[in-house]
Amino acid sequence: MAESAPADLVLDRVLTLDKGVSLTLGNDALVVRDKDLAKRNRTRFCGVAIGKLPTEIAFPYYNILWASFDSELVIEYATQNPKTKIRCEKLQYSLGDVPLDVAQPWVETLLQRAYGQAQRQRRAKVLINPHAGPGGAISIWETDVRPLFHAARMNLDVVTTSRGGEGTEICEALDIDAYDVVVVCSGDGLAYEVFNGFGKRADARNALQKIAVAHIPCGSGNAMSCNLNGSHLPGPSALAVVKGVRTSVDLMSVTQDSQRTLSFLSQSVGIIAEADLGTEHMRWLGAARFDLGVVQRIFSKKVYPCEISVKFEHENKSEVRAHYRRIHTREGQKNGSGESTAGASLSISDSKPEVGEGLPPLRFGTVKDDLPEDWVTSKYDKLGNFYCGNMAWMAPNANFFSAACINDGLMDLVTNDGDIPALKYIELMTSVETGKFFDNPLISYRKAVAYRFTPLEQNDGYISIDGERIPFRPFQVEVHPGLGTVLSKSGHYEADGPPHWEIAPK
């Protein structure tokens, strides 16, 4: 994890120690001048040191986990090997003649630069699902995650879940004054349980605003981690959680019959729902089960007759791209003015729900109510896929909703027909990995604030809400701007956005 030292050092931030060792607080990294350390970090080929011996080694502040001093100065940091495994290392130096009133402010400045807007020593409720994805969550926690959290001095209360729904029960009864974050070591299903546990509380809005939710990927899709941590791997994700900033995130209410649940990720009917829920028996394949499920269903040419009624905000790709540009141009302007956007709302309105009792009232009623007059209703005889997303990545290499924004108060809605020739359908689905999905003429991509989905003719099938199956009956969804709180790496989703969004319209 060592880098070449930056040239523009802050020279009044130097801590000079014995044996010619000096530690300098640079602009972006801690710069260490230490011959013994340099020898240990020298580039090697087949065990033989090659190249010149570096005089200085830089440790990015992002990788600094903690610093403390007594008779010795101890700096703990994360380092990453070529296989993306992250481990904890230490720098240890005797303070010698350095007085404590010099060492103390230097260490405090180092920690300030290491954490920035991120909270130090978070109090975390950790939920581990040992059965998530291909299994192995407990081993991942012990080897890849706990050491980083421990080095960062996080206060940990760890629970291993034993059954579905336990995460909901834990968070419904959680003392929200005792924790800062709930960390789920699982797939996306346990995060779904956490949000719904908070949603069942009498003080739901307060709980959803007060307690952040963070994700360590241990499942098949790991969408939440891909979006917020920028990784589907546990080590980098653990570091992203340690350094994560509190960020408001949109949540969605799903009503069906008399039930109301919260969705943080997506809803789907058709090929995606079938490829997800219809391959539960192949969890041992990990994320590959989705690819296999998609291919199987492409050749079946199954269609899903339905009616979809929508409260649209942007009805075509040009409008969607312009909306994304407005939000992220605004973010860039904040950065340009020196104002950090980490953890800040990126939506146009910057609206947040009022803290209060229970979930926010439904603006558009439930699936049982009459449709509002300004909703647009369309009948689809040959629907192949209905997919509504609140995040960009749905799985590693699957950026289905490239125009998704973390708290713009809108849902991204994708549809396509199911009678597409098989080769064209395969080309469409593989375009997700190549970044060409958004512009593919076979899909419709729009943004909405609410919708109702009504199946026609078919009595049985898959409807997926954040990967969880609900009955194949009509359901309605509306978005709540900034209702939830998460830890994110940068204050927005770690996705590139729709193609050509940076180019100003002519």
Side-chain angles (χ1 to χ4, degrees):
M1 200 55 88
E3 300 178 357
S4 59
D8 51 342
L9 302 181
V10 181
L11 297 178
D12 60 345
R13 298 296 184 181
V14 179
L15 193 65
T16 302
L17 305 174
D18 294 336
K19 300 180 180 179
V21 174
S22 67
L23 310 179
T24 302
L25 299 175
N27 288 344
D28 302 309
L30 169 67
V31 182
V32 179
R33 181 184 288 270
D34 178 351
K35 290 183 179 180
D36 292 337
L37 180 66
K39 289 178 181 178
R40 295 196 298 271
N41 282 270
R42 192 173 181 181
T43 302
R44 295 179 181 274
F45 180 75
C46 296
V48 179
I50 59 175
K52 293 182 178 179
L53 184 68
T55 57
E56 296 174 337
I57 298 176
F59 298 87
Y61 290 131
Y62 181 78
N63 294 78
I64 303 295
L65 299 170
W66 200 250
S68 59
F69 66 93
D70 190 359
S71 59
E72 278 193 325
L73 171 64
V74 179
I75 299 172
E76 297 174 70
Y77 64 96
T79 183
Q80 185 171 336
N81 66 22
K83 294 183 180 180
T84 66
K85 295 286 286 185
I86 287 184
R87 66 180 188 274
C88 297
E89 302 278 4
K90 290 182 180 180
L91 299 174
Q92 293 181 269
Y93 297 106
S94 171
L95 284 175
D97 296 330
V98 177
L100 294 183
D101 61 351
V102 172
Q104 183 172 3
W106 188 93
V107 167
E108 176 58 28
T109 302
L110 172 60
L111 288 172
Q112 288 174 359
R113 297 194 179 194
Y115 279 86
Q117 293 188 7
Q119 180 185 351
R120 303 181 211 168
Q121 296 180 283
R122 285 191 171 103
R123 302 167 300 166
K125 184 77 172 183
V126 180
L127 305 181
I128 304 172
N129 177 7
H131 306 296
I138 293 177
S139 175
I140 288 172
W141 162 253
E142 292 293 343
T143 60
D144 296 316
V145 183
R146 183 196 284 272
L148 270 74
F149 284 6
H150 179 74
R153 304 303 192 271
M154 290 177 63
N155 295 288
L156 306 175
D157 179 6
V158 184
V159 175
T160 300
T161 62
S162 58
R163 53 185 170 79
E166 189 175 354
T168 296
E169 296 170 4
I170 289 172
C171 290
E172 187 176 3
L174 192 71
D175 179 2
I176 61 174
D177 292 323
Y179 302 96
D180 304 303
V181 59
V182 173
V183 180
V184 294
C185 300
S186 66
D188 296 304
L190 191 52
Y192 171 82
E193 291 187 11
V194 167
F195 282 119
N196 278 283
F198 289 146
K200 287 177 176 292
R201 298 169 61 106
D203 61 346
R205 274 177 279 182
N206 187 33
L208 288 164
Q209 294 285 292
K210 187 177 181 64
I211 303 294
V213 182
H215 186 207
I216 300 297
C218 301
S220 299
N222 301 313
M224 186 176 184
S225 183
C226 291
N227 286 283
L228 301 178
N229 302 328
S231 176
H232 66 282
L233 302 171
S237 298
L239 182 56
V241 169
V242 169
K243 295 303 181 74
V245 291
R246 289 175 55 88
T247 308
S248 296
V249 65
D250 296 341
L251 297 178
M252 300 165 284
S253 276
V254 180
T255 63
Q256 186 181 61
D257 301 330
S258 60
Q259 299 294 316
R260 178 184 181 182
T261 56
L262 290 178
S263 169
F264 76 95
L265 183 59
S266 66
Q267 309 90 46
S268 62
V269 182
I271 191 171
I272 298 299
E274 298 265 354
D276 181 4
L277 298 176
T279 61
E280 287 284 334
H281 60 290
M282 295 187 288
R283 280 187 171 272
W284 57 274
L285 284 174
R289 70 182 176 93
F290 300 118
D291 299 329
L292 181 58
V294 166
V295 172
Q296 288 175 338
R297 284 150 183 83
I298 283 176
F299 286 98
S300 72
K301 291 195 173 181
K302 189 174 182 179
V303 295
Y304 304 83
C306 63
E307 277 189 354
I308 305 174
S309 303
V310 187
K311 169 71 172 176
F312 285 115
E313 184 71 19
H314 302 296
E315 296 191 55
N316 58 60
K317 295 176 185 177
S318 178
E319 291 182 8
V320 169
R321 185 183 278 113
H323 169 82
Y324 189 90
R325 181 185 297 117
R326 284 195 299 272
I327 288 179
H328 284 265
T329 297
R330 181 183 179 209
E331 178 193 3
Q333 289 172 345
K334 284 185 177 181
N335 283 332
S337 66
E339 178 183 349
S340 173
T341 59
S345 170
L346 305 181
S347 66
I348 291 175
S349 64
D350 281 339
S351 62
K352 287 186 177 181
E354 294 181 0
V355 173
E357 297 181 357
L359 291 174
L362 295 169
R363 292 174 290 167
F364 304 104
T366 73
V367 70
K368 293 184 174 183
D369 296 317
D370 292 336
L371 286 168
E373 293 182 358
D374 59 344
W375 287 30
V376 177
T377 299
S378 302
K379 184 176 180 181
Y380 295 81
D381 295 323
K382 298 179 179 180
L383 182 77
N385 186 42
F386 172 89
Y387 208 3
C388 181
N390 191 48
M391 292 185 171
W393 297 98
M394 293 294 110
N397 300 319
N399 185 357
F400 272 97
F401 302 102
S402 56
C405 301
I406 199 165
N407 48 24
D408 65 348
L410 299 174
M411 303 175 287
D412 290 35
L413 199 160
V414 170
T415 58
N416 64 262
D417 291 335
D419 59 348
I420 303 169
L423 292 180
K424 284 288 185 182
Y425 216 147
I426 292 174
E427 180 184 336
L428 170 63
M429 299 309 293
T430 56
S431 70
V432 177
E433 293 190 22
T434 61
K436 298 179 180 179
F437 183 75
F438 180 90
D439 285 329
N440 194 301
L442 295 175
I443 70 156
S444 168
Y445 194 120
R446 295 168 284 186
K447 279 185 176 280
V449 295
Y451 72 86
R452 179 180 297 179
F453 186 99
T454 305
L456 302 175
E457 301 179 15
Q458 189 175 345
N459 295 321
D460 188 34
Y462 292 103
I463 296 176
S464 174
I465 308 297
D466 294 0
E468 303 298 317
R469 187 178 184 180
I470 65 171
F472 200 77
R473 294 196 289 270
F475 67 97
Q476 183 165 308
V477 182
E478 69 173 66
V479 65
H480 303 292
L483 176 60
T485 307
V486 293
L487 294 184
S488 73
K489 188 174 182 179
S490 58
H492 52 75
Y493 292 143
E494 301 299 313
D496 293 333
H500 312 301
W501 70 268
E502 308 92 339
I503 302 173
K506 295 181 180 179

